[in-house]
Amino acid sequence: MAARASATVIVFSLVLVLAFAGGASAAKLSAGFYSRSCPGMLAAVRSALHPAIARERRVGASIVRLFFHDCFVQGCDASLLLDDAPGIQGEKNATPNKNSARGFEVIDAVKAAVEKACPGVVSCADVLAIAAEESVVFLGGPSWEVKMGRRDSTTASFNGANNDIPPPTSGLANLTSLFAAKGLSQKDMVALSGAHTIGQARCTNFRDHIYNETDIDAGFARSRQSNCPRTAGSGDNNLAPLDLQTPTVFENAYYKNLVQKRGLLHSDQELFNGGATDAQVRGYVGSQKSFFKDFVEGMIKMGDVTPLTGSSGQIRKNCRRMN
């Protein structure tokens, strides 16, 4: 009897293990996650997103940046989209985001279009993920199958935003370390930094580089100084393109700028400054196809950073607040 009871317990335990394993597998992200529950999701996203980027191409870059900043804090869980509220300090006013993170109203419009098509089905985290991919494609970059099935957080981390997002003053070692903390390699870091082929930066984030550093082309530094006064507090929000030639087209010109010592941010130029990543940068200068391939791989890996799945979190109706 004891032997039978023991065997029964063992079998029951195995059934539980298999059941949990199956549940974990089912909770994994997948490209076809909404194929049945919201087949019109992609059309809804495009209906709101594409006109917004057509009106202002810069907003495409802003949305890609939102996805980066979201995934680097608590994982890709739409915590960045939460407004401050009683009992919750959001991430929007943390140093890397304050006065610079933008495009939230476009994500609101995209989410509203998706809610109209499939109420209560698609998370804000997934809306942001697919909007980032669609933005890259709209601006001329590569496409990829976006894995979905994320759920939305009920928390945010102001301190995480201040500590985990790589600042523009980062050296190569710090960049490598901060990306490694998210499971991303140095190769991923260099490829993902190529997102700076689109968008703009504020004077306060590149002032020191153009006035006080030597790893920069002198003529380029002078041209940036014309719209970025030396004195802190003066012209802090004046903008300059991260890619000198084509700031609204997604291609490999960013790396060409680095080889010419024309990286706008200190952290940009660190990728080509006599260090371990110089060869990779040169490789992308010579092959846009190689850059696109590695960028896609990096974006997919970043999209996998600690998502909430299964019954964790919630599906927010409004991305700015919890249900």
Side-chain angles (χ1 to χ4, degrees), residues 158-269:
F158 182 85
N159 289 334
N162 278 327
N163 295 323
D164 294 353
I165 297 171
T169 54
S170 295
L172 182 60
N174 191 43
L175 288 169
T176 302
S177 175
L178 287 169
F179 274 73
K182 306 302 173 185
L184 299 165
S185 67
Q186 188 176 72
K187 178 184 176 183
D188 296 326
M189 181 270 291
V190 176
L192 290 171
S193 295
H196 284 183
T197 192
I198 51 176
Q200 303 193 52
R202 296 185 302 145
C203 167
T204 187
N205 287 327
F206 60 84
R207 176 182 283 120
D208 195 51
H209 182 51
I210 63 173
Y211 282 105
N212 300 323
E213 297 180 358
T214 57
D215 59 336
I216 186 170
D217 175 80
F220 174 69
R222 285 193 298 272
S223 72
R224 296 302 90 190
Q225 289 168 7
S226 66
N227 194 44
C228 181
R230 181 188 291 270
T231 305
S234 177
D236 283 0
N237 292 323
N238 292 354
L239 298 172
L242 287 159
D243 174 354
L244 184 64
Q245 289 98 351
T246 52
T248 59
V249 179
F250 197 101
E251 23 76 307
N252 65 340
Y254 166 78
Y255 299 103
K256 297 176 182 178
N257 294 333
L258 298 187
V259 170
Q260 296 169 355
K261 298 288 186 181
R262 294 181 177 183
L264 183 63
L265 305 177
H266 173 85
S267 56
D268 288 329
Q269 197 57 58

Side-chain angles (χ1 to χ4, degrees), residues 28-272:
K28 287 183 179 178
L29 306 182
S30 67
F33 190 83
Y34 298 112
S35 59
R36 292 186 178 182
S37 59
C38 190
M41 183 269 296
L42 185 57
V45 168
R46 289 172 173 169
S47 72
L49 179 66
H50 288 186
I53 303 176
R55 286 191 298 270
E56 186 204 7
R57 290 176 70 88
R58 181 191 170 201
V59 82
S62 300
I63 288 169
V64 175
R65 185 167 182 259
L66 289 182
F67 184 58
F68 272 71
H69 284 209
D70 182 48
C71 290
F72 264 73
V73 183
Q74 297 190 166
C76 310
D77 62 357
S79 59
L80 173 58
L81 304 182
L82 288 169
D83 288 339
D84 289 349
I88 182 169
Q89 182 179 26
E91 299 165 15
K92 292 179 179 178
N93 288 313
T95 299
N97 299 323
K98 189 174 184 179
N99 298 322
S100 67
R102 60 193 299 275
F104 295 108
E105 71 289 342
V106 176
I107 297 300
D108 290 341
V110 173
K111 173 64 170 174
V114 173
E115 282 292 300
K116 185 176 180 181
C118 314
V121 174
V122 182
S123 68
C124 295
D126 280 343
V127 164
L128 184 54
I130 191 65
E133 186 268 349
E134 284 288 316
S135 295
V136 169
V137 173
F138 192 95
L139 296 176
S143 64
W144 62 94
E145 282 197 333
V146 178
K147 292 193 285 184
M148 288 177 275
R150 301 170 190 82
R151 289 170 65 85
D152 299 324
S153 70
T154 55
T155 62
S157 179
F158 182 85
N159 289 334
N162 278 327
N163 295 323
D164 294 353
I165 297 171
T169 54
S170 295
L172 182 60
N174 191 43
L175 288 169
T176 302
S177 175
L178 287 169
F179 274 73
K182 306 302 173 185
L184 299 165
S185 67
Q186 188 176 72
K187 178 184 176 183
D188 296 326
M189 181 270 291
V190 176
L192 290 171
S193 295
H196 284 183
T197 192
I198 51 176
Q200 303 193 52
R202 296 185 302 145
C203 167
T204 187
N205 287 327
F206 60 84
R207 176 182 283 120
D208 195 51
H209 182 51
I210 63 173
Y211 282 105
N212 300 323
E213 297 180 358
T214 57
D215 59 336
I216 186 170
D217 175 80
F220 174 69
R222 285 193 298 272
S223 72
R224 296 302 90 190
Q225 289 168 7
S226 66
N227 194 44
C228 181
R230 181 188 291 270
T231 305
S234 177
D236 283 0
N237 292 323
N238 292 354
L239 298 172
L242 287 159
D243 174 354
L244 184 64
Q245 289 98 351
T246 52
T248 59
V249 179
F250 197 101
E251 23 76 307
N252 65 340
Y254 166 78
Y255 299 103
K256 297 176 182 178
N257 294 333
L258 298 187
V259 170
Q260 296 169 355
K261 298 288 186 181
R262 294 181 177 183
L264 183 63
L265 305 177
H266 173 85
S267 56
D268 288 329
Q269 197 57 58
E270 280 290 290
L271 304 186
F272 190 85

